[in-house]
Each structure stands twice: as structure tokens, then as C-alpha cells.
Amino acid sequence: FDMSHEDLANALWTNIKEIPNNGIDDDNNGYIDDVHGWNTVQNNGDIRPINNHGTLVSSIIAATKDNGIGIAGIAPKVKIMPILVTEKANESIKEDHIEYDAVLKAVQYAVKNGARIINMSFGADAPAGFYTNIMQYAYDHNVLLVVSAGNNGVNLNTSNTSPVCDDGNKNFVLGIAALEHDLTRASFSNYGDRCVDLSVPGVD
């Protein structure tokens, strides 16, 4: 997310054992200069966002409350560990793109460095079960995965979507769908109790 955002200044996770920009893996965790997180696409500590999605989601989670700025996050005292998994659109890629290996590296990094909850607010153009092994890894390490149901307006009981349905029928992810202001289902939100566990306000 945008580390200079004034409403997120208190939310940024810091690896206190790592010395910034010295080219050394000071804490011997296998990552060089991972002061505030990790870029799994470029395999370095450059976590500057390539779009606004991470800042949006981080704000909903952890924006400072009662400071007269922006919004109040639902958990304003937590720390966000930014992990970049998205490859920016370029000549060969028409839109921002996420690879399996990037997500795998991200979940491994988060688990190894003490994350308790991993937010996976993305849909994937991938076959059902694509991320099941990654989900299992997090679950086996007592890390909660909170996963977006997706925004295609489809019934997940009959049309699987990755990664929200990639729990191997073991229910080890928390699937989240979106509601309108009147608590009816948002028209864009995927739905279906096979993969969705909670529906929460998700419009404006």
C-alpha cells in the first residue's frame, strides 16, 4: 500500500531486525532488506504499489480512527505487512497480473514472518483448486486466510472461482461476499454458501 498515506502511517509493519538498504540479510530469514515487506515479483524489498487496490483494502482494515482524516479502519491497531504479488501491465500483459508462484511466495513470506491473518482480496483466472496447496500451508501454520468471493455476480455453488473456493472442501478459508446498504446482496458479488462464509457491507 501507499506507505506515505497519512491515514495509514501507523499501520505499516516493520521488520525491526533488518537494516534498511545495506544489501544484507541481517535477520537471516532469507530475504535481503525486507524492512516493511516483500515484492514476490521482483524478489526484493521494493513494495511500492503499482495500483490502488492494496491501499484501498489496507485502509478498510487499518486506517487510523478519530484523527479527522479519511475513514476509520475496522481494526485500526493492527499492522499491515505489505507483500506485492502483482505484475504491472506491459507490452506482453494487457492488465495487471498475478502468478501462482508470486502468491505462493507471498503466503510463505507472511507465515515465516509472523502474520496471523492473510488477506487475499483478488479473483484469479485459474482452474478450481489452483491455490489449494497454498491455502493448506497457511492453515497448517495456524494462519487465517480471508478471501474475497469475487466480483462476477456468479453462484459459487455451481461455478467455482479461485481462490475463494480453493479450500479442498475442508473449510479452511473465510470467504467474504459483499452487501448493499440495505443488506441485500451486491449485484456484482459472487455468492453461494459452498464458498462464502460471511457477507458484509461492500458498496461505497
Side-chain angles (χ1 to χ4, degrees), residues 76-131:
K77 294 185 178 180
V78 304
K79 297 295 183 184
I80 302 288
M81 178 190 294
I83 306 175
L84 194 146
V85 299
T86 309
E87 185 176 3
K88 191 168 181 59
N90 54 44
E91 291 182 359
S92 61
I93 301 174
K94 295 182 179 180
E95 59 185 22
D96 294 351
H97 182 67
I98 297 174
E99 293 283 353
Y100 174 89
D101 286 346
V103 176
L104 174 61
K105 292 175 183 177
V107 171
Q108 290 174 334
Y109 179 88
V111 170
K112 290 177 181 178
N113 288 280
R116 301 297 303 277
I117 301 171
I118 297 176
N119 175 76
M120 299 180 73
S121 56
F122 65 89
D125 183 16
F130 193 69
Y131 291 108

